[in-house]
Amino acid sequence: MSDQKVLSPPTRPGVRRLSSISASFEDMALGPSVIVPPEHMGKPSDAHETAAALEMAKHRLAEKKPTDGESTPPTPPTPPQTNFTDQYAFAFDIDGVLIRGGKPIPEAVEAIKVLNGQNEYGVKVPYIFVTNGGGKTEQERCLDLSRQLEMEISPGQFICGHTPMREMAQKYGTVLVVGGEGDKCRTVAEGYGFKDVVTPGDIIKDNRYTTPFRKLTDDETNHSRARNFGETEIEAIFVFADSRDWAGDQQIILDVLMSKKGRLGTRSETFDEGPPIFFSHNDIVWSTSHQLTRLGMGALRTSLEAMYKAMTGKNLISTAFGKPQIGTFQFATRLLQQWRKDTHGINAPPRTVYFVGDTPESDIRGTNEFNASEFSENQWYSILVRTGVFQEGTKPAFQPNATVDNVLEAVKYGIQREVDKNTRTRVQQLSQQAEAIAE
């Protein structure tokens, strides 16, 4: 590996610094990494400590076994000589909050700088990214965001909608993976450990009459794998990312759902023999560079449910991950708890997590419902921004704890709220001390 890709020695032991220009997925697969803009390769930026610490925390979580008990934590490393808080953290949606149409929202870069210590209090605050966007690995999303924001970021800071699907890789054999560009979703699924992954392109290559109005391009034909689907049983369907061909993908999904044990070319008489279907998220709409919101995976799910009902007379049973599903917030809590344990020796999550989102139906609903659930070990505080799906003049279906103009205002709001809380606590303590002395 060239010196241009890795700065040696790294600032945090075990974490490699890779240039956002030259880093490859092969480089990132070799171990814990932080993606670094070229101008910061010579000297770590203010963002390095957060990115590196969360990268190590996520790797430690992945190494844990479900049966692992809690033991006395090892002596944590000496914290950097900065005012790095462990009391609260931020979690961000990406599209509509930090990025819109592939470009940074104007206040996004400044907001991250504030969290990295460039604020009037000199405090550094940990932060993660929780996105329903699919079809890319956490490593690929990390590369994209590092280049877009021109900041140090690690894959450990990312939680994608399809991340929980990783845990199902050992449960199913042959699976149909739908959505995304080209063959990327197959790559993601195989990276998660799925051993036999097929795509709609494979099915069309086997029988070109499957989708009457869709013909594979030469590139799609080359990337599609030949097999006999008359002898293949598809055990589960995973929609990893937004469909690029609704008509063709829905036709194939319905064929599999209504089949006998996932065998194409068959049709169940009872419509209860097909495999289960899973969606990486359930967002009906999402924010793009278009002035109006665009249809998302949740719309595809709704369409499939309607067509399945019309064709079978039965309700389609399906499962969605991502926001607002509780599992996504539970994983985020575990990640932040591991970070706090590693850096401060405290085996508990930060007392407050500020979730900043633009979609009331997923971001705000998920945050509020998780906070009110029995599974929440701390406070999750929802902040809605006006730079994405939600627009001023409309009433959000799910009410946030706070509504602000943009992500920079959200960050300033959260930090000031924490400062005010600490001030009130300190005043109460001084008052109690004064009363005790008087007595």
Side-chain angles (χ1 to χ4, degrees), residues 13 22 62 113 115 120 185 198 200 226 229 249 252 350 401 406 412 417 423 429-430:
S22 57
K113 287 181 179 179
L115 292 176
E120 61 182 299
C185 283
V198 301
F229 281 93
D249 287 347
I252 290 171
N401 294 115
N406 53 61
K412 290 180 176 179
R417 182 173 180 268
T423 299
Q429 291 173 344
L430 291 174

Side-chain angles (χ1 to χ4, degrees), residues 6 24 31 35 86 95 131 198 215 240 242 249 260 284 300 306 310 322 360 373 408 415:
V6 182
S24 68
I35 302 303
D86 68 306
D95 292 318
T131 175
V198 301
K215 307 300 179 186
F240 265 62
D242 289 295
D249 287 347
K260 293 182 177 180
I284 297 291
L300 176 70
S373 75
L408 177 58
I415 292 177

Side-chain angles (χ1 to χ4, degrees), residues 201-439:
D202 298 345
I203 293 171
I204 298 172
K205 186 172 185 176
D206 180 57
N207 184 348
R208 63 189 179 92
Y209 300 110
T210 300
T211 53
F213 304 113
R214 178 186 176 186
K215 307 300 179 186
L216 296 180
T217 65
D218 290 342
D219 186 61
E220 289 174 330
T221 300
N222 292 334
H223 282 92
S224 298
R225 300 173 184 174
R227 71 187 297 163
N228 182 358
F229 281 93
E231 299 176 353
T232 301
E233 290 188 359
I234 297 172
E235 298 179 21
I237 305 168
F238 291 92
V239 184
F240 265 62
D242 289 295
S243 168
R244 271 47 172 184
D245 175 31
W246 273 41
D249 287 347
Q250 287 187 100
Q251 178 68 73
I252 290 171
I253 290 172
L254 287 168
D255 282 346
V256 178
L257 289 172
M258 296 188 295
S259 69
K260 293 182 177 180
K261 296 184 178 181
R263 192 180 290 267
L264 287 166
T266 67
R267 186 60 52 98
S268 172
E269 296 175 357
T270 57
F271 301 115
D272 59 2
E273 301 175 78
I277 181 169
F278 303 92
F279 296 83
S280 65
H281 67 84
N282 196 39
D283 285 351
I284 297 291
V285 296
W286 65 299
S287 178
T288 70
S289 54
H290 196 277
Q291 66 268 32
L292 300 176
T293 55
R294 303 288 85 185
L295 294 176
M297 189 181 298
L300 176 70
R301 185 186 185 192
T302 300
S303 176
L304 276 168
E305 289 172 345
M307 287 191 289
Y308 186 84
K309 177 76 171 181
M311 296 181 72
T312 68
K314 293 187 173 184
N315 293 324
L316 176 62
I317 299 174
S318 61
T319 302
F321 297 100
K323 300 167 293 182
Q325 310 306 317
I326 283 178
T328 297
F329 294 89
Q330 287 179 300
F331 185 85
T333 300
R334 292 197 299 271
L335 174 60
L336 290 169
Q337 178 171 332
Q338 184 68 47
W339 167 85
R340 195 182 190 201
K341 179 179 178 180
D342 291 346
T343 58
H344 291 79
I346 301 172
N347 192 21
R351 66 185 182 188
T352 304
V353 179
Y354 293 93
F355 192 102
V356 185
D358 71 309
T359 308
E361 290 76 13
S362 59
D363 299 325
I364 305 307
R365 177 186 176 184
T367 304
N368 292 350
E369 290 183 352
F370 178 66
N371 184 61
S373 75
E374 61 181 307
F375 303 103
S376 179
E377 303 174 37
N378 54 351
Q379 181 189 30
W380 280 72
Y381 192 97
S382 58
I383 303 179
L384 181 64
V385 295
R386 299 184 176 99
T387 51
V389 171
F390 173 70
Q391 297 295 322
E392 189 63 34
T394 63
K395 183 179 180 181
F398 297 88
Q399 291 295 322
N401 294 115
T403 302
V404 297
D405 288 336
N406 53 61
V407 65
L408 177 58
E409 293 303 314
V411 167
K412 290 180 176 179
Y413 175 93
I415 292 177
Q416 189 60 52
R417 182 173 180 268
E418 291 297 318
V419 170
D420 293 344
K421 282 164 58 177
N422 289 338
T423 299
R424 288 194 298 270
T425 299
R426 182 59 179 159
V427 168
Q428 290 173 357
Q429 291 173 344
L430 291 174
S431 177
Q432 290 170 357
Q433 291 173 4
E435 290 176 1
I437 293 173
E439 292 176 357

Side-chain angles (χ1 to χ4, degrees), residues 9-17 30-34 52 55-56 59:
T11 320
R12 175 177 284 269
V15 178
R16 297 164 308 129
R17 292 165 52 77
L30 294 176
S33 312
V34 172
E55 175 73 348
M56 292 303 297
H59 275 264

